[in-house]
Amino acid sequence: MKNLIYICLAVLFGFMACQPPEVGYLSDDIHALEDTIFVPRGVFTKSAPPAIEGSTYPLHWEITGITDGQGNFTDALFEEHEILTWKEGFNPDTDTTLALVEEKLELTNQPSILINSVSGEFAFTQATRMVTDNDIYHLNVKASNMRGERQLDDFVVAKLGPFQPVEFPVEMRSRLQLGKVDGGYDIGYTSTIVNGDDEDVPSVLDGTHPYINITKISDEPSLGIKVRMVITDSYDNPLDPEKVVFYPSGAGYLQNYHDNSIETTTDAEATYFELPAPPFPQYGRTYSGNNSYLMYYLTSGDAFTVDQEAFEADNGVQDWTPYTDPDTGEIMNRAYIRWGIKINDSGTWEIKMRIPYTKVK
């Protein structure tokens, strides 16, 4: 009897050894890394990729349904609208004519939501600007691989916010610098807008901020964008645009709006930049991420004089000797101009920066 048992066990183990091992793994704990994706309407936005918790690649992702805040199924994000999109990034080194840039643009009908079938990332297109019925959408998805599939209902929430014609992704500065007799510069005064949460942003957009204004002055061009950059003294007198110069960096320059324009022109008061489609700026030569929106300029030393009377009225009596040119008797100075905006809307915009405590010569 005992021998029979041993024989049966040997047969059983031999049979089990002949079975192919299980291949692949599909976790029960696949989840989004963010509970809610905040989507500004009309602005291309991507989500973070989901956490797959060791599941075997390759995975395939698809959206299986969307419900609104009341739990009703909706196709609002799947409906297609005509939008102008960049097929690839603008490059000023190669995109030297309007025709070359227009080859990178495409006017097509697109839905408001896309999903990367490989990575599981969501993308929200500029078509979200036309979605007006609801703000809250619950996204249902399915993930599958060689092992099977997982239906993931209410995987993540997409919350659509108002269209932001202008974003403030990084700190900008309007700064007076005082040239030192023994070399270098000291900071005379700086006005900053830190980011989009800065309490002074509304005054920047409605034209009431004392040093920085971003205002739309025309709806034309309807698809493209034109930007008028004006740098003024404290009293709103424009500086000569020829005295607003690039910020040197080694053998080149820090990134600037000239690198983001097909046709750049000047008149007595302003410099004009043009692109056939927003957002503006498109290109960051030096930095990446939010810092790609930093754009730098300086002024030449003869662009303005320091308004010493106004400065001392606000800051007390000063010793100007360390900054006084011994040959001319004038305060040595320059403006440090650092923009940090992203314009998402078409039309003509004016970006104006006043330099603190200055007078045009």
mmCIF file of all heavy atoms in Angstrom, residues 9 30 93 111 124 164 181-182 190 206 215 220 246 262 265 300 317 323 341:
data_model
loop_
_atom_site.group_PDB
_atom_site.id
_atom_site.type_symbol
_atom_site.label_atom_id
_atom_site.label_comp_id
_atom_site.label_asym_id
_atom_site.label_seq_id
_atom_site.Cartn_x
_atom_site.Cartn_y
_atom_site.Cartn_z
ATOM 1 N N LEU A 9 2.191 9.579 -5.863
ATOM 2 C CA LEU A 9 2.782 10.906 -5.648
ATOM 3 C C LEU A 9 3.803 11.216 -6.725
ATOM 4 O O LEU A 9 3.889 12.352 -7.229
ATOM 5 C CB LEU A 9 3.431 10.978 -4.268
ATOM 6 C CG LEU A 9 2.474 11.023 -3.069
ATOM 7 C CD1 LEU A 9 3.254 10.929 -1.749
ATOM 8 C CD2 LEU A 9 1.646 12.302 -3.105
ATOM 9 N N ILE A 30 -3.166 48.236 -9.273
ATOM 10 C CA ILE A 30 -2.859 49.310 -10.222
ATOM 11 C C ILE A 30 -3.692 50.534 -9.847
ATOM 12 O O ILE A 30 -4.904 50.427 -9.614
ATOM 13 C CB ILE A 30 -3.172 48.869 -11.661
ATOM 14 C CG1 ILE A 30 -2.255 47.723 -12.082
ATOM 15 C CG2 ILE A 30 -3.030 50.037 -12.627
ATOM 16 C CD1 ILE A 30 -2.601 47.128 -13.431
ATOM 17 N N ASP A 93 16.507 77.779 -34.662
ATOM 18 C CA ASP A 93 17.715 77.548 -35.454
ATOM 19 C C ASP A 93 17.394 76.991 -36.833
ATOM 20 O O ASP A 93 18.155 77.174 -37.786
ATOM 21 C CB ASP A 93 18.655 76.590 -34.720
ATOM 22 C CG ASP A 93 19.171 77.176 -33.417
ATOM 23 O OD1 ASP A 93 19.339 78.415 -33.360
ATOM 24 O OD2 ASP A 93 19.397 76.409 -32.463
ATOM 25 N N PRO A 111 -10.530 65.161 -30.124
ATOM 26 C CA PRO A 111 -11.300 65.085 -28.876
ATOM 27 C C PRO A 111 -10.591 65.850 -27.778
ATOM 28 O O PRO A 111 -9.436 66.262 -27.917
ATOM 29 C CB PRO A 111 -11.314 63.584 -28.587
ATOM 30 C CG PRO A 111 -10.020 63.094 -29.171
ATOM 31 C CD PRO A 111 -9.794 63.932 -30.412
ATOM 32 N N PHE A 124 -4.949 65.950 -22.304
ATOM 33 C CA PHE A 124 -6.126 66.771 -22.540
ATOM 34 C C PHE A 124 -5.739 67.854 -23.544
ATOM 35 O O PHE A 124 -4.772 68.586 -23.342
ATOM 36 C CB PHE A 124 -6.623 67.382 -21.229
ATOM 37 C CG PHE A 124 -7.073 66.345 -20.247
ATOM 38 C CD1 PHE A 124 -6.163 65.734 -19.389
ATOM 39 C CD2 PHE A 124 -8.398 65.949 -20.194
ATOM 40 C CE1 PHE A 124 -6.560 64.753 -18.495
ATOM 41 C CE2 PHE A 124 -8.816 64.967 -19.299
ATOM 42 C CZ PHE A 124 -7.889 64.371 -18.454
ATOM 43 N N GLN A 164 -7.118 79.662 -19.081
ATOM 44 C CA GLN A 164 -6.139 80.625 -18.592
ATOM 45 C C GLN A 164 -5.399 81.233 -19.782
ATOM 46 O O GLN A 164 -4.452 80.622 -20.299
ATOM 47 C CB GLN A 164 -5.140 79.952 -17.650
ATOM 48 C CG GLN A 164 -5.744 79.483 -16.334
ATOM 49 C CD GLN A 164 -4.688 78.867 -15.434
ATOM 50 O OE1 GLN A 164 -4.430 77.672 -15.474
ATOM 51 N NE2 GLN A 164 -4.066 79.688 -14.607
ATOM 52 N N VAL A 181 31.443 101.401 -8.768
ATOM 53 C CA VAL A 181 32.681 101.960 -9.301
ATOM 54 C C VAL A 181 33.780 100.903 -9.340
ATOM 55 O O VAL A 181 34.591 100.856 -10.275
ATOM 56 C CB VAL A 181 33.128 103.176 -8.460
ATOM 57 C CG1 VAL A 181 34.489 103.680 -8.928
ATOM 58 C CG2 VAL A 181 32.096 104.289 -8.530
ATOM 59 N N ASP A 182 33.796 100.019 -8.342
ATOM 60 C CA ASP A 182 34.852 99.007 -8.285
ATOM 61 C C ASP A 182 34.455 97.714 -9.010
ATOM 62 O O ASP A 182 35.099 96.686 -8.856
ATOM 63 C CB ASP A 182 35.239 98.699 -6.835
ATOM 64 C CG ASP A 182 34.045 98.234 -6.003
ATOM 65 O OD1 ASP A 182 32.916 98.182 -6.545
ATOM 66 O OD2 ASP A 182 34.230 97.903 -4.814
ATOM 67 N N THR A 190 13.764 95.626 -6.573
ATOM 68 C CA THR A 190 13.196 94.561 -7.397
ATOM 69 C C THR A 190 11.713 94.426 -7.128
ATOM 70 O O THR A 190 11.277 94.378 -5.977
ATOM 71 C CB THR A 190 13.869 93.206 -7.110
ATOM 72 O OG1 THR A 190 15.273 93.318 -7.307
ATOM 73 C CG2 THR A 190 13.324 92.118 -8.025
ATOM 74 N N ASP A 206 -4.994 93.197 -15.211
ATOM 75 C CA ASP A 206 -5.918 94.306 -15.493
ATOM 76 C C ASP A 206 -5.200 95.640 -15.684
ATOM 77 O O ASP A 206 -5.826 96.690 -15.800
ATOM 78 C CB ASP A 206 -7.007 94.417 -14.422
ATOM 79 C CG ASP A 206 -6.474 94.864 -13.051
ATOM 80 O OD1 ASP A 206 -5.335 95.356 -12.962
ATOM 81 O OD2 ASP A 206 -7.222 94.713 -12.058
ATOM 82 N N THR A 215 -1.535 92.470 -21.004
ATOM 83 C CA THR A 215 -2.903 92.752 -21.433
ATOM 84 C C THR A 215 -3.097 92.380 -22.893
ATOM 85 O O THR A 215 -2.203 92.553 -23.722
ATOM 86 C CB THR A 215 -3.246 94.238 -21.235
ATOM 87 O OG1 THR A 215 -2.253 95.045 -21.893
ATOM 88 C CG2 THR A 215 -3.285 94.600 -19.763
ATOM 89 N N GLU A 220 -6.994 89.905 -33.026
ATOM 90 C CA GLU A 220 -6.268 89.517 -34.235
ATOM 91 C C GLU A 220 -4.766 89.484 -33.956
ATOM 92 O O GLU A 220 -4.261 90.331 -33.214
ATOM 93 C CB GLU A 220 -6.568 90.506 -35.371
ATOM 94 C CG GLU A 220 -8.020 90.498 -35.831
ATOM 95 C CD GLU A 220 -8.420 89.162 -36.432
ATOM 96 O OE1 GLU A 220 -7.544 88.490 -37.044
ATOM 97 O OE2 GLU A 220 -9.592 88.790 -36.296
ATOM 98 N N PHE A 246 20.266 91.779 -25.263
ATOM 99 C CA PHE A 246 20.319 90.410 -24.769
ATOM 100 C C PHE A 246 21.206 90.310 -23.528
ATOM 101 O O PHE A 246 22.146 91.079 -23.355
ATOM 102 C CB PHE A 246 20.868 89.472 -25.843
ATOM 103 C CG PHE A 246 19.991 89.341 -27.052
ATOM 104 C CD1 PHE A 246 20.550 89.197 -28.310
ATOM 105 C CD2 PHE A 246 18.616 89.340 -26.938
ATOM 106 C CE1 PHE A 246 19.761 89.066 -29.430
ATOM 107 C CE2 PHE A 246 17.806 89.215 -28.052
ATOM 108 C CZ PHE A 246 18.381 89.072 -29.307
ATOM 109 N N ILE A 262 9.036 84.565 -35.457
ATOM 110 C CA ILE A 262 9.371 84.413 -36.874
ATOM 111 C C ILE A 262 9.768 85.756 -37.462
ATOM 112 O O ILE A 262 10.751 85.883 -38.187
ATOM 113 C CB ILE A 262 8.172 83.850 -37.663
ATOM 114 C CG1 ILE A 262 7.743 82.512 -37.076
ATOM 115 C CG2 ILE A 262 8.537 83.671 -39.132
ATOM 116 C CD1 ILE A 262 8.832 81.488 -37.042
ATOM 117 N N THR A 265 10.170 92.881 -35.164
ATOM 118 C CA THR A 265 10.310 94.262 -35.637
ATOM 119 C C THR A 265 10.314 95.202 -34.443
ATOM 120 O O THR A 265 9.927 94.823 -33.326
ATOM 121 C CB THR A 265 9.174 94.644 -36.598
ATOM 122 O OG1 THR A 265 7.910 94.477 -35.916
ATOM 123 C CG2 THR A 265 9.202 93.765 -37.846
ATOM 124 N N SER A 300 21.105 98.899 -21.784
ATOM 125 C CA SER A 300 22.424 99.534 -21.840
ATOM 126 C C SER A 300 22.489 100.646 -20.788
ATOM 127 O O SER A 300 21.456 101.141 -20.314
ATOM 128 C CB SER A 300 22.683 100.088 -23.239
ATOM 129 O OG SER A 300 21.667 101.008 -23.611
ATOM 130 N N VAL A 317 17.644 108.581 2.784
ATOM 131 C CA VAL A 317 18.816 109.207 2.173
ATOM 132 C C VAL A 317 19.869 108.141 1.884
ATOM 133 O O VAL A 317 20.117 107.250 2.701
ATOM 134 C CB VAL A 317 19.390 110.296 3.102
ATOM 135 C CG1 VAL A 317 20.672 110.869 2.527
ATOM 136 C CG2 VAL A 317 18.351 111.391 3.326
ATOM 137 N N TYR A 323 28.325 104.375 -6.608
ATOM 138 C CA TYR A 323 27.712 104.103 -7.906
ATOM 139 C C TYR A 323 27.865 105.269 -8.892
ATOM 140 O O TYR A 323 27.306 105.232 -9.981
ATOM 141 C CB TYR A 323 26.222 103.801 -7.711
ATOM 142 C CG TYR A 323 25.970 102.816 -6.604
ATOM 143 C CD1 TYR A 323 25.363 103.223 -5.406
ATOM 144 C CD2 TYR A 323 26.365 101.488 -6.724
ATOM 145 C CE1 TYR A 323 25.144 102.323 -4.376
ATOM 146 C CE2 TYR A 323 26.144 100.582 -5.695
ATOM 147 C CZ TYR A 323 25.533 101.008 -4.530
ATOM 148 O OH TYR A 323 25.323 100.116 -3.495
ATOM 149 N N ILE A 341 6.267 84.258 -18.180
ATOM 150 C CA ILE A 341 4.857 84.070 -18.504
ATOM 151 C C ILE A 341 4.704 83.089 -19.658
ATOM 152 O O ILE A 341 5.634 82.848 -20.429
ATOM 153 C CB ILE A 341 4.179 85.402 -18.892
ATOM 154 C CG1 ILE A 341 4.903 86.047 -20.079
ATOM 155 C CG2 ILE A 341 4.114 86.331 -17.698
ATOM 156 C CD1 ILE A 341 4.210 87.270 -20.625
#
